[in-house]
Amino acid sequence: MDEWKPNPAAKPHKKRSWYLAWKYKLMNQRALRKLCQTGAVLFLLVTVIVNIKLILDTRRAAYEEEEESAQDYDDEMLNVEVPRHPVSNKKVLDVEVYSSRSKVYVAVDGTTVLEDEAREQGRGIHVIVLNQATGHVMAKRVFDTYSPHEDEAMVLFLNMVARGRILIFTIKDEGSFHLKDTAKNVLKSLGSQVAPFLSWRDMWTFVGKKGGEVYGEKHAKSPALSTWGDPVLLKTEVHLTSVEDAECHWPDTELNRRRKRFCSKVEGYGSVCSCKDPTPIEFNPDPLKDNKVFDVPVAVIAGNRPNYLYRMLRSLLSAQGVNPQMITVFIDGYYEEPMDVVELFGLSGIQHTPISIKNARVSQHYKASLTATFNLFPDAKFAVVLEEDLDISVDFFSFLSQSIHLLEEDESLYCISAWNDQGYEHTAEDPSLLYRVETMPGLGWVLRKSLYKDELEPKWPTPEKLWDWDMWMRMPEQRRGRECIIPDISRSYHFGIVGLNMNGYFHEAYFKKHKFNTVPNVQLKNVESLRKDAYETEIHRLLGEAEVLDHSKNPCEDSFVPDTEGRVYVMFIRMEQEADFTTWTQLAKCLHIWDLDVRGNHKGLWRLFRKKNHFLVVGVPASPYSSKKPSSVTPIYMEPPAKEEGAGAVPAVPAAEQT
Amino acid sequence: MQKINKNVVLALLSLTSLVFLLFQLYYYKFYLSQKNGAAFSKVRGSQSGQDSTRWHVVRKFLGLISSHNIQVYLIDPLILELVDKDIEQIRSSPDGPSPECKYFCSPRDFTTFALLDKTWKHEVGLFRTAEKMGFQWLKIINKDPRLDGMDDLSGIEIPLHYIFKLASHAIHLVVFYERSGNYLWHGPLRLKQHMDRKFVPFRKLHFGRYPGAYEKPELLPVSIDDLKVQIPKNPSRFLEEMSHSRFLECRYREARAFFQLYPDDASLDAVEFRKKAKSLLHLAALTLNNLRVKFWLSSGTCLGWYRQCSVIPHSKDVDLGVFIRDYKADIIPAFQKAGLQLKHKFGKVEDSLELSFQGEDDVKLDIFFFYEGDDHIWNGGTQAKSGKKFKYLFPKFTLCWTEFVELKVHVPCETLQYVEANYGPDWKVPVKMWDWKSSPPNVQYNGVWPVDEWDDVIQIY
């Protein structure tokens, strides 16, 4: 009862009289007093009852909850929480760096972060980047500066490393033969005293902060050409900075949170981690009108080439009509850095335990990735298959959207590929033109689910067969006479220089000059004429209007094709039977196009461009189009060169290589 | 004058006690809603039978969801039951204001919604907005079963359930995934060790005790209790489906162990047989589903699923089980129409019925009909040349969904007992020689068909 207080807003004297009256009543009227007492008792009773109920209910609720935590809903797997190591507040790192002919190692605070004593491997300058606040390894690279151009790659890499990072250098075996002055100057600018004078078989270690102090440097000169410098061991201390100093202060958005996570872990991605003006990681390209491939899953097959993957995903996410939801990156192996790249772009990535070796490993990875793709997207009728070392054209999805219905309707089709094996700078011209070819190019292609599930998956080469998946797919047992649709100008560009079947020389010869479409929204012409029968009509029409070239001239000469534009020319080469590619191979060689195996043919016909003229090559008499040859013309025969080159020197190279 | 004053004082007094009582009630509610609304809803339920908290929470949740362009649909069985009763009326007036709060006001701890995974992009923003609106939320993730069958993928973890809690009410959001076999799947709700076991009374949830498999529902946008929600177009069918939706995942890990012990037959014949068996099973499933005849994988096909998650290549046929109560005379013509000729028919509907159809090439489809005994279930077998009858006994079982060769099919939930009854304790060891009359441990001799019935009970084509 004493909870009740008179209204404080009422006027004082009025309140007083009111209060008095009340008191008076209370004191004097027995009946009322009694009533009040009864009321009070009642009130107390009610309170007690409510309280008891409260206690009872609470106890029951608590008991029920107890029960609810019964095993039913417990995860059967015991997830033991691993206690996190307390963050060491140590401000100094002990760094040990060793350089010698056959072994290099780097230890940070007693933990070996690099050790390489393998024979005939890891030659050159090893570079390690540490986070200046945590001491974590952010990048590990080796540049074989004994070989040409590797120093350029090193300069590029060092330029991308953010200021303030700790850089550790050490040479294994030899690192100076092709270390040019530009590179030496860069090393000098980092504070190295020795770098400008590094010479043949010198041993060298260096630890410094980019744009800051030098923590130590050691060098051992090679006494003679035939011997190596003595091994050097550098022990030094590095002072850590605070985390705030090591990070950029980007506005706090979802994207920047991803960026921050990425940039504090890895190095060597340049402007994406720039504090001032970071390059975007979301691209929002224009959507496509009536996009028929919006719901088609995209599988990106990746190994451990995170820088490639980064470049690839950038171009993929910038392509018009891309649907990031449908992209899955399949990483062959439990590599962290590729996964970091995938997460930077907010995509989903799946890691795959490597099975088998070399080409079989790639092949098993392909199988797992394709199966997983169709499991994850059970509705999909197709999947787009890409690799981590491809640039994707801005109109890649537009190209597929315009042509994918053919794959659905035309049983005689095997795939749609974005890559034209013969589409080089000097042999491809028309972005709106498509071909049918008997060889599957890979390198960015569309696979029909029914083909995979009913035919390929059950028969896929097992791990012990060291086969290339794409070679296997090209075998007649698999292809069964079906063809692929390709564009004249490729919608993908193969930029990978390192890889299982790839090296710099090979890339330069066969991939560098490949034409790549950069025009958005190309309207493909005559897509319907790509159907099986319509294509024959189209070819006959083309051959009908084509001018026969002068077969007395040398087809390798530039003058073989007149200096015109926009004309259609045809030449006839000798091709005794379906598998006789002797002359074609020689012609391909002198035209500087793909000559390692036969690509891009359709019933003994090849289509390409020369001097902006459409240029048709017909193999006589094997091709059904031989009938178009005027009787006066003798098919050209080109002899293979004498054995000196040796076919054995030619590496067996699948177009789609990886890892 | 005095009397009036007295009354005023009295009124004031009772007002005070009432205020005090209300305060206590409020405190009571506040205290409980910290843990769960169970006890309180009972108290208030007895007062008014209405719970506007729930309505408000649901409305807020729907607002949150639509502000992020996410589509959810109502699958709360208790509400759908009510809705189902009024379905005609709700359908006919999709937008009319409702006079009373009928569905979302009965006091419950939860309201359950479904979310199709492929319709949303796992945005973090949703949860941030939810927090701003006052929701507490819990996410339950687990391995992606769609990748579980693949031995060497580190299956990513996917969200299976979300719970959004506000005041005394919680929204249980079940995430449905599309899987090969054209059906929807939701995962079990399992709490990891560090999770708050008292976040909500998990046991009372309607979804999550087991994983479940559902057909893709057609949705119907409706307005009930002035809330715009989507519901399954046919709530009663959904509820019926829900009652036996339990899903069993294939035992991929054991299957891998099996193949390590007994490497898979990768010969061309095996590949071909598997392909044929798969297409035969697809055809059979299509035919029986059209007739609405419930069937399950039996005998060798069931063993293949249970032991190795694939068709046993040397089994040479596909075996299905059907309860005799589901038998329909249309079965034979329907299969014939689908291009499968009847190969033989043994027994009769009353006893030991068994049908066998000839599929493509040498693959045979056997349909065994199962009869319910007192403490067991059995099916019959007949030896054509002698007219001998056999009986195969199985312990009683119920049916669960599973996925097999890209098909959503039934298997006995108690698969181990079923397989062991049929193949004995050594079922893990592949046997190529199998005599269906003597090998199964559950076979019993069951007499001989009377000779005058032979024409009827032994039909061979």
Side-chain angles (χ1 to χ4, degrees):
Chain A
M1 297 262 283
D2 41 26
E3 265 92 359
W4 188 77
K5 292 262 153 57
N7 181 3
K11 282 178 184 167
H13 96 267
K14 200 177 173 186
K15 184 184 86 180
R16 187 165 171 75
S17 65
W18 197 55
Y19 176 71
L20 278 177
W22 173 66
K23 201 175 171 187
Y24 173 80
K25 249 182 294 162
L26 231 72
M27 304 287 262
N28 295 322
Q29 300 235 320
R30 254 191 101 203
L32 189 67
R33 207 159 61 203
K34 237 184 177 164
L35 200 81
C36 281
Q37 277 166 354
T38 327
V41 168
L42 256 172
F43 180 80
L44 267 169
L45 259 170
V46 169
T47 318
V48 165
I49 290 168
V50 166
N51 273 316
I52 287 173
K53 196 163 161 30
L54 174 90
I55 289 163
L56 283 177
D57 279 346
T58 321
R59 284 189 61 179
R60 197 180 56 219
Y63 175 72
E64 276 174 14
E65 278 158 23
E66 208 71 7
E67 230 184 9
E68 264 137 31
S69 48
Q71 321 151 329
D72 257 41
Y73 286 87
D74 281 338
D75 203 334
E76 66 272 22
M77 286 195 307
L78 217 71
N79 296 358
V80 183
E81 283 276 287
V82 184
R84 291 199 58 171
H85 292 290
V87 182
S88 67
N89 289 320
K90 220 176 139 214
K91 288 276 176 244
V92 177
L93 286 180
D94 296 317
V95 178
E96 255 179 65
V97 196
Y98 183 78
S99 162
S100 72
R101 176 196 169 182
S102 56
K103 176 180 179 175
V104 285
Y105 77 81
V106 174
V108 177
D109 262 355
T111 311
T112 307
V113 295
L114 165 76
E115 185 163 27
D116 185 348
E117 48 186 333
R119 294 178 61 188
E120 291 166 27
Q121 259 184 47
R123 175 182 58 199
I125 303 182
H126 290 250
V127 186
I128 286 184
V129 183
L130 300 184
N131 187 304
Q132 69 271 41
T134 60
H136 288 155
V137 176
M138 301 183 74
K140 247 196 255 190
R141 297 282 191 281
V142 53
F143 300 98
D144 179 13
T145 43
Y146 169 82
S147 309
H149 303 303
E150 285 278 306
D151 61 332
E152 294 161 22
M154 184 174 80
V155 168
L156 204 69
F157 174 74
L158 291 176
N159 284 338
M160 278 197 286
V161 172
R163 274 177 72 89
R165 301 279 186 233
I166 294 151
L167 291 164
I168 303 174
F169 295 85
T170 177
I171 288 183
K172 182 179 178 186
D173 191 356
E174 213 302 305
S176 70
F177 188 51
H178 273 282
L179 191 67
K180 301 266 161 47
D181 284 346
T182 333
K184 285 180 174 172
N185 285 333
V186 169
L187 293 175
K188 192 181 162 197
S189 72
L190 290 170
S192 166
Q193 311 261 318
V194 180
F197 315 108
L198 266 184
S199 57
W200 177 247
R201 288 182 175 173
D202 283 359
M203 293 301 131
W204 173 63
T205 58
F206 173 72
V207 181
K209 177 178 261 186
K210 187 166 179 194
E213 54 204 300
V214 173
Y215 297 107
E217 182 167 26
K218 266 194 179 173
H219 175 234
K221 209 152 176 49
S222 154
L225 268 185
S226 59
T227 55
W228 283 262
D230 292 331
V232 292
L233 175 62
L234 170 67
K235 287 188 181 181
T236 181
E237 284 185 346
V238 170
H239 294 271
L240 295 177
T241 57
S242 72
V243 176
E244 289 77 55
D245 293 348
E247 281 182 350
C248 299
H249 303 281
W250 297 303
D252 185 38
T253 63
E254 186 50 40
L255 287 182
N256 280 341
R257 234 166 274 156
R258 282 193 335 230
R259 189 193 296 277
K260 206 168 205 164
R261 213 175 305 136
F262 180 76
C263 294
S264 65
K265 267 183 96 176
V266 294
E267 257 295 354
Y269 292 83
S271 55
V272 73
C273 293
S274 152
C275 283
K276 263 199 226 144
D277 184 23
T279 183
I281 53 172
E282 198 174 55
F283 306 94
N284 301 315
D286 295 339
L288 280 185
K289 241 196 264 165
D290 192 21
N291 187 350
K292 300 226 167 52
V293 289
F294 192 74
D295 287 332
V296 175
V298 177
V300 178
I301 316 284
N304 189 19
R305 294 181 289 178
N307 289 73
Y308 282 9
L309 184 63
Y310 174 80
R311 170 170 166 181
M312 187 273 164
L313 291 178
R314 284 191 79 89
S315 74
L316 175 63
L317 292 171
S318 309
Q320 293 179 354
V322 68
N323 180 359
Q325 284 268 92
M326 303 302 284
I327 300 174
T328 317
V329 181
F330 294 93
I331 300 163
D332 191 16
Y334 290 87
Y335 303 113
E336 267 186 53
E337 202 169 322
M339 206 61 181
D340 294 333
V341 171
V342 171
E343 280 165 12
L344 169 72
F345 290 113
L347 301 173
S348 63
I350 293 176
Q351 291 168 320
H352 174 224
T353 317
I355 310 169
S356 194
I357 48 160
K358 291 185 181 163
N359 293 339
R361 171 174 167 178
V362 177
S363 160
Q364 291 309 305
H365 183 49
Y366 255 88
K367 183 186 181 190
S369 307
L370 297 176
T371 304
T373 301
F374 289 120
N375 280 354
L376 289 173
F377 300 96
D379 267 2
K381 283 191 209 149
F382 307 99
V384 174
V385 185
L386 301 173
E387 285 157 43
E388 68 181 344
D389 52 3
L390 298 177
D391 280 330
I392 300 304
S393 167
V394 65
D395 82 327
F396 178 77
F397 292 104
S398 154
F399 157 69
L400 294 182
S401 175
Q402 291 175 65
S403 54
I404 196 146
H405 65 281
L406 294 176
L407 195 55
E408 193 167 0
E409 293 155 16
D410 188 345
E411 286 285 306
S412 70
L413 284 179
Y414 199 44
C415 77
I416 297 177
S417 176
W419 179 261
N420 177 4
D421 283 306
Q422 310 294 21
Y424 290 86
E425 290 285 357
H426 60 288
T427 56
E429 207 55 54
D430 186 351
S432 65
L433 185 63
L434 303 181
Y435 303 134
R436 275 179 86 106
V437 295
E438 291 168 17
T439 52
M440 196 205 80
L443 298 174
W445 54 289
V446 185
L447 169 67
R448 199 195 284 136
K449 180 181 184 176
S450 58
L451 171 67
Y452 181 68
K453 280 281 165 191
D454 300 343
E455 300 183 37
L456 302 180
E457 189 187 29
K459 288 194 291 184
W460 200 273
T462 44
E464 71 276 5
K465 293 187 181 114
L466 302 181
W467 287 351
D468 282 311
W469 69 273
D470 55 335
M471 294 295 199
W472 176 77
M473 266 192 80
R474 287 185 192 114
M475 279 155 59
E477 295 90 324
Q478 274 65 254
R479 193 171 67 82
R480 296 197 199 164
R482 289 170 291 195
E483 294 184 300
C484 288
I485 287 187
I486 59 163
D488 179 53
I489 299 182
S490 300
R491 261 55 175 192
S492 60
Y493 178 76
H494 183 268
F495 63 76
I497 297 181
V498 289
L500 182 55
N501 299 309
M502 187 55 64
N503 60 59
Y505 298 105
F506 184 69
H507 185 267
E508 198 143 327
Y510 287 104
F511 290 100
K512 204 168 177 191
K513 298 251 167 71
H514 232 94
K515 199 153 186 169
F516 175 59
N517 179 51
T518 50
V519 184
N521 286 319
V522 176
Q523 186 64 42
L524 302 180
K525 73 180 168 208
N526 249 346
V527 176
E528 291 313 304
S529 71
L530 269 298
R531 289 176 197 273
K532 191 170 191 269
D533 297 330
Y535 194 68
E536 295 314 309
T537 321
E538 171 71 11
I539 295 293
H540 281 282
R541 187 192 62 77
L542 256 178
L543 287 168
E545 74 178 54
E547 297 166 47
V548 179
L549 287 162
D550 182 353
H551 281 58
S552 62
K553 286 187 179 164
N554 181 353
C556 294
E557 298 284 322
D558 203 40
S559 59
F560 185 68
V561 177
D563 292 322
T564 55
E565 262 186 39
R567 310 280 276 273
V568 183
Y569 295 114
V570 59
M571 76 174 281
F572 298 91
I573 59 170
R574 199 196 290 178
M575 186 172 159
E576 295 300 343
Q577 12 77 25
E578 235 179 279
D580 171 23
F581 298 114
T582 324
T583 305
W584 166 255
T585 307
Q586 294 318 307
L587 183 65
K589 209 161 254 161
C590 75
L591 292 180
H592 300 290
I593 56 177
W594 186 272
D595 59 2
L596 298 181
D597 55 7
V598 181
R599 300 280 173 95
N601 50 317
H602 167 82
K603 298 188 177 175
L605 166 85
W606 287 265
R607 295 175 66 179
L608 36 128
F609 280 86
R610 279 183 85 175
K611 292 185 184 169
K612 305 200 170 179
N613 300 297
H614 203 20
F615 177 68
L616 311 176
V617 181
V618 176
V620 178
S623 169
Y625 310 121
S626 304
S627 57
K628 295 278 175 179
K629 184 182 74 69
S631 52
S632 57
V633 169
T634 318
I636 291 180
Y637 174 67
M638 293 167 81
E639 196 130 5
K643 265 254 165 143
E644 43 164 10
E645 272 185 48
V650 178
V653 173
E657 59 73 47
Q658 188 251 338
T659 301
Chain B
M1 200 57 191
Q2 284 260 323
K3 260 232 147 55
I4 296 169
N5 268 345
K6 240 187 276 173
N7 284 344
V8 167
V9 166
L10 223 111
L12 275 169
L13 258 173
S14 16
L15 200 77
T16 326
S17 55
L18 209 77
V19 164
F20 185 57
L21 207 86
L22 278 174
F23 169 76
Q24 274 210 320
L25 275 175
Y26 173 76
Y27 175 76
Y28 185 22
K29 174 196 163 177
F30 177 78
Y31 169 78
L32 276 181
S33 68
Q34 292 274 307
K35 306 213 146 192
N36 65 66
F40 179 63
S41 59
K42 276 175 209 127
V43 171
R44 204 175 21 177
S46 65
Q47 280 185 338
S48 61
Q50 296 264 308
D51 179 357
S52 57
T53 323
R54 183 189 196 186
W55 187 86
H56 282 290
V57 172
V58 170
R59 198 188 55 163
K60 262 195 154 177
F61 173 75
L62 290 173
L64 165 75
I65 286 296
S66 67
S67 73
H68 283 261
N69 274 326
I70 299 169
Q71 294 226 339
V72 297
Y73 58 96
L74 185 74
I75 50 168
D76 195 291
L78 301 173
I79 298 181
L80 286 183
E81 256 168 48
L82 296 174
V83 165
D84 191 44
K85 285 182 194 139
D86 312 335
I87 189 72
E88 288 312 319
Q89 191 199 336
I90 289 170
R91 261 189 207 142
S92 57
S93 60
D95 290 315
S98 54
E100 46 167 348
C101 182
K102 208 171 162 187
Y103 308 99
F104 286 108
C105 288
S106 49
R108 302 273 175 234
D109 302 332
F110 309 100
T111 310
T112 316
F113 285 92
L115 167 69
L116 276 183
D117 169 69
K118 70 167 190 178
T119 59
W120 85 302
K121 315 173 188 174
H122 305 258
E123 294 150 339
V124 206
L126 173 72
F127 302 103
R128 215 157 284 149
T129 325
E131 278 163 18
K132 275 185 202 143
M133 289 169 83
F135 281 105
Q136 289 176 279
W137 58 275
L138 183 77
K139 173 162 121 175
I140 282 125
I141 57 170
N142 218 325
K143 272 186 302 183
D144 188 341
R146 296 168 298 178
L147 300 177
D148 228 20
M150 310 185 53
D151 29 355
D152 28 75
L153 288 190
S154 71
I156 36 174
E157 299 217 310
I158 49 170
L160 301 180
H161 297 264
Y162 291 101
I163 292 167
F164 293 86
K165 192 171 76 173
L166 185 67
S168 61
H169 195 72
I171 304 286
H172 179 197
L173 187 59
V174 185
V175 189
F176 280 80
Y177 289 86
E178 244 171 67
R179 293 186 52 174
S180 331
N182 204 26
Y183 66 100
L184 296 181
W185 173 91
H186 76 76
L189 195 155
R190 298 289 178 267
L191 298 174
K192 298 245 161 104
Q193 205 136 60
H194 56 88
M195 280 181 177
D196 179 7
R197 251 141 255 275
K198 297 184 176 174
F199 189 72
V200 289
F202 288 103
R203 281 208 149 186
K204 292 186 185 156
L205 297 179
H206 299 293
F207 290 80
R209 180 170 296 261
Y210 302 114
Y214 291 81
E215 295 296 311
K216 291 181 198 169
E218 267 187 88
L219 297 180
L220 179 72
V222 294
S223 168
I224 47 179
D225 292 348
D226 296 329
L227 294 175
K228 284 197 187 341
V229 289
Q230 303 227 67
I231 59 166
K233 202 168 187 176
N234 191 338
S236 61
R237 188 186 297 165
F238 180 85
L239 291 168
E240 207 271 327
E241 228 188 324
M242 187 183 158
S243 63
H244 37 80
S245 64
R246 185 177 164 193
F247 182 88
L248 293 182
E249 205 63 65
C250 198
R251 301 154 71 245
Y252 295 111
R253 214 175 333 148
E254 286 82 354
R256 280 198 283 279
F258 173 82
F259 281 127
Q260 297 230 305
L261 228 54
Y262 309 101
D264 198 12
D265 183 356
S267 67
L268 215 57
D269 283 352
V271 169
E272 274 303 298
F273 173 73
R274 283 200 167 128
K275 195 174 150 188
K276 284 177 201 155
K278 178 179 166 183
S279 71
L280 181 60
L281 192 57
H282 275 251
L283 187 62
L286 185 72
T287 313
L288 290 172
N289 288 340
N290 280 345
L291 293 172
R292 302 205 162 271
V293 173
K294 199 191 271 181
F295 69 94
W296 65 91
L297 303 183
S298 190
S299 309
T301 313
C302 185
L303 177 66
W305 170 77
Y306 191 67
R307 185 172 69 188
Q308 53 202 70
C309 297
S310 64
V311 174
I312 301 175
H314 57 259
S315 60
K316 301 298 167 213
D317 55 12
V318 172
D319 304 312
L320 301 180
V322 173
F323 284 120
I324 195 67
R325 59 166 185 263
D326 293 329
Y327 173 79
K328 283 184 179 146
D330 307 349
I331 290 177
I332 296 173
F335 272 109
Q336 282 168 338
K337 213 170 149 194
L340 300 179
Q341 293 314 309
L342 186 64
K343 195 166 174 236
H344 61 240
K345 178 185 172 193
F346 293 147
K348 50 189 179 177
V349 176
E350 299 76 35
D351 185 11
S352 302
L353 184 64
E354 177 192 340
L355 299 176
S356 189
F357 295 93
Q358 188 60 58
E360 195 192 339
D361 302 314
D362 274 342
V363 192
K364 192 161 65 95
L365 172 72
D366 290 327
I367 302 179
F368 303 105
F369 289 86
F370 282 67
Y371 298 79
E372 271 182 82
D374 294 332
D375 56 351
H376 60 267
I377 294 176
W378 63 275
N379 73 308
T382 300
Q383 190 178 27
K385 63 173 194 284
S386 65
K388 277 185 195 158
K389 284 163 68 186
F390 299 91
K391 198 172 182 178
Y392 302 85
L393 298 180
F394 294 91
K396 289 214 166 185
F397 57 84
T398 49
L399 292 180
C400 279
W401 289 113
T402 192
E403 183 185 314
F404 187 59
V405 292
E406 291 168 65
L407 204 59
K408 177 187 147 210
V409 284
H410 276 125
V411 286
C413 299
E414 299 78 10
T415 328
L416 180 61
Q417 284 96 300
Y418 190 87
V419 167
E420 268 187 349
N422 214 176
Y423 294 96
D426 292 331
W427 56 269
K428 280 188 185 170
V429 184
V431 179
K432 292 218 174 174
M433 292 307 294
W434 186 259
D435 180 8
W436 60 270
K437 300 183 294 303
S438 59
S439 303
N442 62 337
V443 66
Q444 275 182 9
Y445 183 61
N446 193 23
V448 183
W449 289 106
V451 179
D452 56 323
E453 280 188 43
W454 280 29
D455 282 350
D456 187 33
V457 300
I458 304 175
Q459 299 180 21
I460 298 175
Y461 300 91

